[in-house]
């Protein structure tokens, strides 16, 4: 009896299968007009690895050109243009009873605060000479994982020094020294704290480094404004910045941006940035290598004084196992942050980079310890301030360790307050971002479809150039040189694997599926649906049983309806392999989509040239990460006449930048997709604005009520703006549609199929 039931079930499945029953084709058949594809490699991984090599070449080309950037551009890519420090500023004494928290031989140490961007405040330690006018004002920047107390050799740091206590040393010889609190790399939400704060900032057109540079520049305002010294005695007017590790990086940036800084000492940071993508996520700056390598930034400092000290770098980051896989991936442990390490260039690499500055006045020192006293003595001398040799020789007498009047708990609380302040600023900037985007789009005309198309074109170009990014070597496509081979066949369809050349070693790969009853000689022309997989998917995911629970074999099902379909391989495959590609692309002002857009231009051009394809009827339909593609690729690929975003459309900037407890179930701010963030979408193009770039072409959203991508309310909120544009402002409401269905993160294939039949003008229905 049981056997009979099982056989009956098998016969029923064959009669009405959930997924198309497909089998491998026999023989080596090619699509007419193409060459035989003979490769036995994994074509998807081969394509991703080809893009990896292409990006390596792009980085090398940028570093060879050394075009030189401006202060204004450096400020923009750091995010400084999005925020401003207050005009009137001064140090305010804080801490216990507003008095010193410690004393050296001839100086006092106080905790101070000062206003910075937004409503935030910076805090730090101020070392002040006791009985004489300060020799100079110095902003001393520690590495990220150092508390300011360590730079003064205060307990408990006096027994485990990573640098010379240079704040105390410089105070001993008569300098007034400020040591700001920087954000640490301690773990938070299974990632470094610096990355957790950097992610939302990046999405909103800012960087954590930019925030900390603003703190430095606000401190410069305080020094250059009211005299903060209790003695009331003025200084020489000289202002310098000294930093190690992360502090060295900030010192380099700050001195390049602000000419009021008379000189800088950069220690434990300077070197080649050819592997900047290998560093922690918070070191990422969009387009850094297009004019702002370390040598090019240093040129913005000269002819002012610059001392570069190398030989001692902070130790932080992942290690690779014997297979080259980050150790944290092998171990698991729920780590969500980007694999990254602080670079430690060899002496000769630093020498070569410093030589590219082109200024003989730059001092390069090789030391066996960080912030050596001789290094900062040279800095002071170069900016016109001599330090008596006797005083320098006696420096060890001045900073004997002393216990500050504060506890480790109060030091930790001070850091936590700085973290909360930046997080609050990110969240206020998130709220403000919708207004900023509204200003951005004010030039678009809404009085007619024709005027709309003309006025939206400049924004589409800006989206391509500044948000997606453009590789000059991919702007002109190569001959496609199509190679194909038959892949699978079913009762109503036959499919082919296809490889196309794009340019510069980049290829496109996918599966073309044809209805069996279609004539290939050009006597009829069919519409095409490009069916895009999601994260870690492959073209095969969209055609049959594989991952049917997500994709419902929509490539094959649409071909059974008479459409030609093409399922491309997009780049989001290979876990860390593809995610690191995003950071390589970011280094030259580009993204993953800056490669995928040219790939899709080549795909659609090739499809349009097939004799059986109607070039005017090529649509795009993508699920999940393919839905992200549906928002970013069709605006820039003219041959796509419509776009369907499935299982992804939502209030995208909120999803990336929100950190409040109600958002964290949905937000990427604390998730493992560390590549997902795109620079300054908050101030430019959220999903409504991307849909506006697709408009007036038809656009549709497919949304399951139980899809964990986002709550229904944020999807509805963002789509309401799309609907208002299409229907109320342009009078083309029949071109914008959303389908809500009871289901999860999946293709539903009901209203979307009807949408394709209607707008691609193909007979049939979704029934």
């Amino acid at each position: 009896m049981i056997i009979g039931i099982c056989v009956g079930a098998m016969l029923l499945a064959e009669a009405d299968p959930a997924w198309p029953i497909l089998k491998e084709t026999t023989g080596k058949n090619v699509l007419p007009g193409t060459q035989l594809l003979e490769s036995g490699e994994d074509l998807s991984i081969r394509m991703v690895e080809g893009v990896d090599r292409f990006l390596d070449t792009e980085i090398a080309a940028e570093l060879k050109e050394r075009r030189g950037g401006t202060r204004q551009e450096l400020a923009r890519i750091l995010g400084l243009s999005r925020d401003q420090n207050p005009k009137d500023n001064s140090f305010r004494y804080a801490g216990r009873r507003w008095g010193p928290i410690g004393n050296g031989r001839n100086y006092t140490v106080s905790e101070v605060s000062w206003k910075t961007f937004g409503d935030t405040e910076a805090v730090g330690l101020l070392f002040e000479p006791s009985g004489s006018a300060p020799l100079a004002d110095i902003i001393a920047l520690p590495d990220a994982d150092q508390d300011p107390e360590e730079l003064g050799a205060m307990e408990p740091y006096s027994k485990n020094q990573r640098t010379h206590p240079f704040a105390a040393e410089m105070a001993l010889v008569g300098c007034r020294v400020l040591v700001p609190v920087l954000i640490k790399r301690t773990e938070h939400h299974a990632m470094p704290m610096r990355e957790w704060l950097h992610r939302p900032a990046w999405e909103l057109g800012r960087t954590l480094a930019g925030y900390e540079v603003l703190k430095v520049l606000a401190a410069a305002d305080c020094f250059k404004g009211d005299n903060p010294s209790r003695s009331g005695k003025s200084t020489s007017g000289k202002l310098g910045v000294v930093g190690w590790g992360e502090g060295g990086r900030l010192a380099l940036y700050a001195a390049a941006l602000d000419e009021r800084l008379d000189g800088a000492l950069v220690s434990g940071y300077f070197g080649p940035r050819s592997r900047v993508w290998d560093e922690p996520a918070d070191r990422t700056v969009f387009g850094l290598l297009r004019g702002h390598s370390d040598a090019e930034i240093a040129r913005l400092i000269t002819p002012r004084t610059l001392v570069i000290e190398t030989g001692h770098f902070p130790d932080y980051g992942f290690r690779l196992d014997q297979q080259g896989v980050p150790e944290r991936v092998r171990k698991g442990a729920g780590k969500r942050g980007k694999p990254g390490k602080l670079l430690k260039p060899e002496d000769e690499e630093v020498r070569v980079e410093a030589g590219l500055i082109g200024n003989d006045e730059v001092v390069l020192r090789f030391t066996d310890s960080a912030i050596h006293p001789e290094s900062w003595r040279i800095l002071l001398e170069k900016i016109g301030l001599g330090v008596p040799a006797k005083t320098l020789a006696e420096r060890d007498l001045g900073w004997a360790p002393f216990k500050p009047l504060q506890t480790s708990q109060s030091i930790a609380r001070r850091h936590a307050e700085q973290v909360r302040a930046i997080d609050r600023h990110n969240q206020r900037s998130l709220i403000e971002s919708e207004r900023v985007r509204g200003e951005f789009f004010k030039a678009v005309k809404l009085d007619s479809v024709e005027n709309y198309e003309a006025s939206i074109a400049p924004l589409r170009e800006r989206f391509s150039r500044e948000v997606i990014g453009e590789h000059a070597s991919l702007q002109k496509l190569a001959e496609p040189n199509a190679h194909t081979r038959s892949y699978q066949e079913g009762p109503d369809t036959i499919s082919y694997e296809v490889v196309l050349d794009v340019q510069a070693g980049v290829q496109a790969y996918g599966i073309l599926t044809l209805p069996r009853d279609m004539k290939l000689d050009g006597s009829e022309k069919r519409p095409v649906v490009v069916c895009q997989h999601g994260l870690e998917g492959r073209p095969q995911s969209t055609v049959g049983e594989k991952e049917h629970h997500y994709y419902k074999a929509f490539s094959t099902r649409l071909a059974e309806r008479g459409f030609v379909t093409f399922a491309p391989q997009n780049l989001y495959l290979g876990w860390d392999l593809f995610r690191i590609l995003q950071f390589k692309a970011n280094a030259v002002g580009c993204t993953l989509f800056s490669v995928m857009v040219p790939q899709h231009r080549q795909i659609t051009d090739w499809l349009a040239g097939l004799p059986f394809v109607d070039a005017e009827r090529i649509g795009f339909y993508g699920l999940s990460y393919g839905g992200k593609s549906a928002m970013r690729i069709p605006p820039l690929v003219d041959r796509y006449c419509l776009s369907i975003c499935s299982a992804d459309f939502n209030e995208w900037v909120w999803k990336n930048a929100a950190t409040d407890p109600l958002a964290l179930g949905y937000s990427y701010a604390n998730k493992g997709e560390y590549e997902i963030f795109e620079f300054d979408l908050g101030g430019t193009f959220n999903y409504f604005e991307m849909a506006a770039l697709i408009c007036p072409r038809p656009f549709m959203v497919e949304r399951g009520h139980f899809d964990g991508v986002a709550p229904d309310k944020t999807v509805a909120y963002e789509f309401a703006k799309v609907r208002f544009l299409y229907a109320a402002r342009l009078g083309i409401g029949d071109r914008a549609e959303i389908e809500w269905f009871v289901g999860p993160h999946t293709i539903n294939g009901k209203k979307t199929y009807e949408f394709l039949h209607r707008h691609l003008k193909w007979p049939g229905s979704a029934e």
Side-chain angles (χ1 to χ4, degrees):
M1 181 67 177
I2 294 175
I3 294 175
I5 293 173
C6 291
V7 170
M10 291 173 62
L11 292 173
L12 180 61
E14 290 179 1
D16 186 21
W19 48 78
I21 304 301
L22 305 173
K23 61 181 181 179
E24 299 296 320
T25 57
T26 58
K28 294 184 177 181
N29 301 315
V30 302
L31 198 67
T34 66
Q35 302 177 61
L36 177 63
L37 176 59
E38 296 186 284
S39 173
E41 299 176 74
D42 183 327
L43 296 174
S44 294
I45 293 296
R46 185 181 81 170
M47 189 205 80
V48 176
E49 290 175 341
V51 172
D52 190 18
R53 290 189 294 272
F54 165 76
L55 291 174
D56 286 341
T57 302
E58 289 283 286
I59 289 172
E62 288 290 349
L63 289 173
K64 183 178 180 180
E65 183 175 348
R66 303 279 181 165
R67 66 182 71 182
T70 65
R71 287 192 180 91
Q72 292 75 18
E73 182 61 15
L74 178 60
R76 187 190 71 80
I77 61 179
L78 285 172
L80 272 64
S81 57
R82 288 292 183 197
D83 295 300
Q84 290 185 338
N85 284 325
K87 292 182 179 180
D88 298 320
N89 212 348
S90 62
F91 295 115
R92 290 176 291 171
Y93 291 89
R96 184 172 179 175
R97 297 182 180 177
W98 308 97
I101 63 169
N103 296 274
R105 191 180 69 179
N106 63 343
Y107 59 85
T108 60
V109 184
S110 303
E111 191 169 86
V112 296
S113 66
W114 62 102
K115 295 178 181 179
T116 54
F117 52 92
D119 294 326
T120 67
E121 289 188 347
V123 296
L125 299 184
L126 184 64
F127 294 68
E128 296 180 278
S130 299
S132 60
L135 180 67
D137 290 325
I138 301 294
I139 301 170
L141 300 167
D143 183 48
D145 288 330
Q146 291 181 295
D147 290 313
E149 284 75 8
E150 184 172 338
L151 274 58
M154 300 179 191
E155 293 184 4
Y157 304 97
S158 54
K159 297 179 182 179
N160 187 26
Q161 288 291 139
R162 285 169 284 184
T163 64
H164 279 269
F166 59 95
E169 289 180 332
M170 297 186 81
L172 173 63
V173 301
C175 294
R176 183 166 49 195
V177 184
L178 174 71
V179 188
V181 173
L182 301 184
I183 301 300
K184 293 186 176 182
R185 302 184 185 99
T186 49
E187 188 170 293
H188 185 69
H189 284 297
M191 70 185 72
M193 179 71 78
R194 292 185 67 83
E195 179 173 349
W196 184 73
L197 290 173
H198 177 80
R199 287 180 173 193
W202 178 267
E203 193 76 11
L204 297 165
R206 298 155 168 90
T207 63
L208 179 58
Y211 285 155
E212 292 181 328
V213 168
L214 282 170
K215 290 183 179 182
V216 174
L217 301 185
D221 293 337
C222 295
F223 277 128
K224 290 295 186 181
D226 293 337
N227 188 345
S229 175
R230 289 173 181 168
S231 67
K233 298 176 181 178
S234 63
T235 70
S236 63
K238 298 294 185 179
L239 176 60
V241 60
V242 178
W244 179 64
E246 196 64 34
R249 179 188 181 215
L250 299 175
L252 181 69
Y253 291 168
L257 291 167
D258 194 336
E259 293 184 290
R260 296 177 302 170
L261 294 168
D262 298 293
L265 167 55
V266 175
S267 177
Y269 174 75
F270 191 90
R273 293 294 139 199
S274 57
R275 294 185 67 87
V276 65
W277 47 268
D278 217 3
E279 297 188 275
D282 66 279
R283 287 277 181 98
T284 310
V285 178
F286 195 67
L288 182 71
L289 300 185
R290 285 187 169 175
H292 291 99
S293 64
D294 285 5
E296 291 164 299
I297 295 174
R299 288 178 199 161
L300 299 176
I301 300 175
T302 60
R304 289 172 291 139
T305 298
L306 174 61
V307 179
I308 298 169
E309 185 184 74
T310 192
H312 195 71
F313 295 84
D315 187 13
Y316 174 82
F318 69 84
R319 293 178 295 173
L320 299 180
D321 64 15
Q322 292 180 348
Q323 288 74 42
V325 176
E327 208 172 53
R328 66 104 181 163
V329 174
R330 188 72 73 190
K331 290 182 178 179
K335 298 296 183 183
R336 295 170 177 171
K338 173 188 179 291
K341 59 185 177 183
L342 301 181
L343 301 180
K344 298 181 179 182
E346 299 294 331
D347 287 354
E348 183 57 27
E349 293 179 305
V350 176
R351 192 190 306 276
V352 170
E353 186 72 15
L356 295 170
I357 300 172
N359 190 311
D360 294 337
E361 295 300 311
V362 173
V363 178
L364 176 60
R365 302 194 73 245
F366 300 90
T367 63
D368 57 2
S369 61
I371 312 292
H372 193 279
E374 183 63 16
S375 297
W376 57 257
R377 187 195 69 79
I378 292 173
L379 172 68
L380 294 179
E381 184 180 82
K382 288 284 187 179
I383 63 176
L385 302 171
V387 178
K390 181 180 178 181
T391 304
L392 187 63
E394 294 176 351
R395 68 185 184 279
D396 291 342
L397 300 177
W399 53 267
F402 61 87
K403 186 174 182 179
L405 300 176
Q406 59 202 82
T407 64
S408 57
Q409 289 83 4
S410 65
I411 292 172
R413 183 167 57 250
R414 181 184 66 193
H415 177 263
E417 289 170 354
Q418 289 290 284
V419 170
R420 286 193 292 271
I422 292 177
D423 182 36
R424 286 195 300 270
H425 181 74
N426 280 338
Q427 298 313 297
R428 284 194 292 269
S429 300
L430 171 59
I431 294 170
E432 177 71 2
S433 67
E434 187 168 26
R435 183 199 63 78
V436 174
R437 293 191 301 274
E439 294 292 323
F440 191 64
F441 267 70
K442 273 190 173 180
V444 177
K445 296 180 179 179
L446 300 168
D447 54 330
S448 70
V449 172
E450 293 73 22
N451 286 339
Y452 178 84
E453 288 189 276
S455 61
I456 199 74
L459 289 181
R460 195 175 288 121
E461 292 172 5
R462 187 166 178 179
F463 179 66
S464 176
R465 185 177 63 255
E466 297 181 9
V467 177
I468 298 299
E470 296 176 345
H471 297 283
S473 52
L474 295 181
Q475 295 309 295
K476 183 178 180 181
L477 302 176
E479 289 298 317
N481 189 27
H483 284 64
T484 67
R485 64 186 174 205
S486 54
Y487 174 58
Q488 289 181 334
E489 57 185 348
D492 302 310
T493 63
I494 183 168
S495 61
Y496 295 83
E497 288 186 290
V498 178
V499 172
L500 307 173
D501 290 340
V502 178
Q503 189 59 270
V506 175
Q507 293 184 317
Y509 162 63
I511 294 176
L512 178 74
T513 303
L514 307 177
R516 275 193 177 276
D517 64 352
M518 188 178 69
K519 298 175 183 179
L520 304 183
D521 60 4
S523 58
E524 64 168 335
K525 292 185 180 290
R526 299 283 183 103
V528 181
V529 182
V530 173
C531 301
Q532 190 61 65
H533 65 79
L535 179 64
E536 294 298 330
R538 293 171 178 254
Q540 291 80 358
S541 305
T542 72
V543 299
E545 179 180 355
K546 179 179 172 61
E547 297 188 273
H548 183 268
H549 57 293
Y550 291 130
Y551 298 102
K552 300 297 189 291
F554 73 129
S555 287
T556 303
R557 290 306 192 199
L558 286 167
E560 290 172 346
R561 294 174 171 276
F563 296 99
V564 173
T565 67
F566 188 86
Q569 177 67 63
N570 268 6
L571 287 178
Y572 27 87
L573 175 71
W575 298 100
D576 287 303
L577 173 62
F578 92 81
R579 291 193 161 100
I580 294 301
L581 295 186
Q582 177 81 318
F583 289 86
K584 286 187 175 184
N586 285 171
V588 292
C590 293
T591 64
L592 291 174
F593 288 98
S594 62
V595 175
M596 290 188 283
V597 165
Q599 286 176 317
H600 279 256
R601 286 174 179 157
Q602 186 72 305
I603 288 167
T604 54
D605 283 354
W606 178 74
L607 288 169
L610 295 175
F612 48 83
V613 166
D614 185 342
E616 302 300 317
R617 292 186 290 164
I618 302 176
F620 189 101
Y621 186 178
L623 174 85
S624 192
Y625 224 124
K628 293 175 188 33
S629 301
M631 302 307 302
R632 292 158 178 80
I633 293 175
L636 304 178
V637 178
D638 293 339
R639 288 197 183 276
Y640 283 128
C641 68
L642 62 79
S643 183
I644 301 176
C645 176
S646 177
D648 184 71
F649 188 90
N650 66 99
E651 216 280 38
W652 181 251
V653 173
W654 170 84
K655 181 173 174 62
N656 282 270
T659 59
D660 61 274
L662 293 178
L664 286 181
Y666 301 101
S667 175
Y668 279 126
N670 67 332
K671 301 297 190 299
E673 289 86 346
Y674 58 83
E675 89 299 340
I676 207 78
F677 307 92
E678 296 157 284
F679 186 64
D680 203 17
L681 282 193
T684 53
F685 300 92
N686 202 350
Y687 272 17
F688 158 66
E689 288 80 16
M690 292 184 198
L693 299 181
I694 295 170
C695 181
R697 290 170 285 176
F699 173 73
M700 184 174 183
V701 171
E702 186 175 45
R703 162 69 187 180
H705 286 299
F706 298 106
D707 190 337
V709 161
D712 276 354
K713 63 181 181 181
T714 64
V715 178
Y717 177 80
E718 194 71 5
F719 186 77
K721 292 182 279 186
V722 177
R723 177 67 186 174
F724 184 77
L725 171 65
Y726 273 80
R729 300 308 301 266
L730 296 177
I732 51 173
D734 60 324
R735 301 185 196 179
E737 191 172 335
I738 187 169
E739 180 193 10
W740 303 89
F741 67 92
V742 179
H745 190 75
T746 184
I747 293 286
N748 191 46
K750 299 295 193 296
K751 295 293 185 181
T752 53
Y753 286 8
E754 292 179 358
F755 187 84
L756 290 168
H757 278 282
R758 182 167 68 255
H759 290 287
L760 293 179
K761 300 180 176 63
W762 183 247
S765 70
E767 296 303 323

